[in-house]
Amino acid sequence: MNNLDLQATGREMHALAAELYPLCRSITGNGVRSTLQRLAQDIPLAVREVPSGTQVFDWTVPEEWNIREGWIKDPHGRVVVSFANQNLHVVGYSTPVRGKMTLSELKLRLFSLPDQPDLIPYRTSYYKKTWGFCLPHRDLERLEDGEYEVCIDSRLTNGSLTYGECFISGATDEEVLVSCHTCHPSLANDNLAGIAVAVALARQLASCPQRLSYRFLFIPGTIGSIAWLALNEAGIHRIQHGLVLTCAGDAGPITYKKSRRGNAIIDRAMQHVLRTSGAEHRVVDFHPYGYDERQYCSPGINLPIGCLMRSPHGTFPEYHTSADNLDFIQPESLADTLVKALEAFEVLEHNARFVNLKPMCEPRLGKYGLYGGGGGQRTGGFDELALLWVLNLSDGGNDLLAIAERSGMRFHKILAAAVALEQAGLLHKENLTC
Ligand code: ZN
């Protein structure tokens, strides 16, 4: 992480979100393909297509949806709602329509938010064939009686579901899965922020050798993770840790939602990183609602995968509205989410269990060049108190993360102490914990 310029990386992540913002993504279609094409400029990305109709566990990959235009013309022939201005205006997966109707007929097809009258809501109808428009309530109220003309030039065809997969091979085939959804149109925090942080994470991890292998999935929510799990069932056992990234860029404090297991190493690592960060944060228990952790943590899968976010979905007024735009996400918040994930991954990379080879009272540290001349003084880049914690708790039962948790000291300090003690011949590495 030393070589990471956080300010510049934060700006890059925001710029990537801005580039992707106008694309009309959905759970299938060309908006997703264009998004993945752009990501492939930054990271090695395999783009995969799963044909419509493919059975994936209890689900079926739906028809592919694409849209060229959508608009409403008022009785004077003026365009009052236009997909070209903002893709949230058309209900996702709307079936094609072209025709004329009265205002009262049209109103049955219109969605707005009376409590947030200036915002366009985000609506979809993936599995029930229908069509509709979304608009600010203020605009809806201004519509006058008369005959309206509507057009949605969309297609639902036998095509495929598209997702992207980036694999960064480490020294072992134990995997960390990082998953984010790519299925929302112009929404910044609930979609693009997770994508931007995942791309930055992949780039950073690929820049130096890793012990663990990392698999990044850029998939449509729900059906994407279900399809991936169904088609990759044979390799699921390699996944030792994981994170779903979502809502990763708003100004709220960071939130970690634990995996279904609740005490997996990723759960402990994330909590340790957040607790020792000194910053406000929230840790919440697993619940079967939210993002793709619902699938990764379904009982038959039960992977140790938590969810890293800032403000949880549904808790901020901008959620699923046109106010979840590029101003709602900030470079500093994106960078902070990235750092927290990297710090947790550092724990996963280096956590190990050691045994103290001189457990009969404290070893005389001065003999090994490890004595700083007084309690708690820093010598040679490590902390004397950290040495004492590692020596005391390295009885074979505690891993370094447990020592960091119990001492309240940050993992990297404990790790530095363990490395120094091992080099001095005072510790023996037992085994990796995962
Ligand atoms: Zn959403």
Side-chain angles (χ1 to χ4, degrees), residues 122 181 183-184 187 190-191 291 313 319-320:
Y122 165 52
H181 63 292
C183 53
H184 289 27
L187 294 171
D190 180 11
N191 202 93
Y291 292 89
H313 69 96
Y319 175 71
H320 277 192

Side-chain angles (χ1 to χ4, degrees), residues 77-358:
R78 293 178 300 214
V79 174
V80 288
V81 171
S82 172
F83 172 80
N85 293 340
Q86 166 57 278
N87 55 36
L88 294 173
H89 276 309
V90 173
V91 171
Y93 259 69
S94 277
T95 50
V97 60
R98 179 98 206 214
K100 294 187 172 178
M101 59 190 61
T102 64
L103 179 60
S104 54
E105 287 168 329
L106 176 63
K107 274 188 170 170
L108 300 173
R109 303 287 186 165
L110 301 183
F111 300 93
S112 67
L113 300 166
D115 295 339
Q116 297 171 294
D118 296 314
L119 306 183
I120 308 167
Y122 165 52
R123 289 288 173 95
T124 61
S125 184
Y126 301 135
Y127 299 102
K128 181 179 167 228
K129 286 194 175 177
T130 185
W131 61 269
F133 289 92
C134 301
L135 72 169
H137 194 66
R138 232 179 270 291
D139 292 355
L140 189 152
E141 283 187 308
R142 274 201 286 262
L143 298 177
E144 52 190 85
D145 273 334
E147 190 178 59
Y148 283 77
E149 190 181 351
V150 298
C151 165
I152 294 177
D153 183 4
S154 63
R155 276 169 302 141
L156 278 161
T157 52
N158 246 331
S160 56
L161 174 156
T162 313
Y163 71 87
E165 191 162 358
C166 165
F167 185 69
I168 298 168
S169 183
T172 69
D173 63 1
E174 292 168 17
E175 288 182 16
V176 181
L177 186 79
V178 179
S179 178
C180 61
H181 63 292
T182 52
C183 53
H184 289 27
S186 293
L187 294 171
N189 198 36
D190 180 11
N191 202 93
L192 298 173
I195 294 174
V197 172
V199 168
L201 258 178
R203 289 179 76 171
Q204 183 63 20
L205 291 166
S207 71
C208 43
Q210 308 293 339
R211 183 178 71 83
L212 299 163
S213 296
Y214 292 82
R215 189 179 298 278
F216 287 79
L217 298 181
F218 299 87
I219 48 168
T222 307
I223 186 68
S225 52
I226 292 170
W228 189 87
L229 287 164
L231 300 173
N232 293 277
E233 211 179 337
I236 289 174
H237 66 276
R238 284 195 289 270
I239 300 168
Q240 303 291 321
H241 321 276
L243 284 179
V244 169
L245 290 174
T246 184
C247 298
D250 65 272
I254 214 154
T255 304
Y256 177 67
K257 174 182 170 182
K258 291 193 246 180
S259 74
R260 180 177 184 269
R261 299 186 188 186
N263 61 351
I265 294 176
I266 185 68
D267 298 323
R268 292 170 53 209
M270 254 346 305
Q271 288 179 92
H272 174 71
V273 165
L274 295 180
R275 269 186 206 137
T276 54
S277 71
E280 190 189 345
H281 64 274
R282 290 171 290 210
V283 175
V284 296
D285 283 329
F286 176 79
H287 49 274
Y289 195 65
Y291 292 89
D292 286 310
E293 69 277 11
R294 293 161 64 164
Q295 314 311 329
Y296 300 126
C297 296
S298 56
I301 309 284
N302 201 20
L303 286 169
I305 293 182
C307 182
L308 187 64
M309 56 200 144
R310 304 197 73 86
S311 298
H313 69 96
T315 64
F316 49 96
E318 294 84 357
Y319 175 71
H320 277 192
T321 75
S322 52
D324 183 359
N325 57 28
L326 293 167
D327 294 332
F328 186 57
I329 60 170
Q330 283 143 20
E332 307 76 48
S333 301
L334 292 164
D336 183 57
T337 309
L338 172 68
V339 166
K340 296 300 186 288
L342 282 170
E343 287 180 357
F345 289 176
E346 194 190 357
V347 175
L348 305 180
E349 284 285 327
H350 299 289
N351 193 27
R353 198 173 283 131
F354 289 86
V355 173
N356 181 345
L357 297 174
K358 292 211 183 291

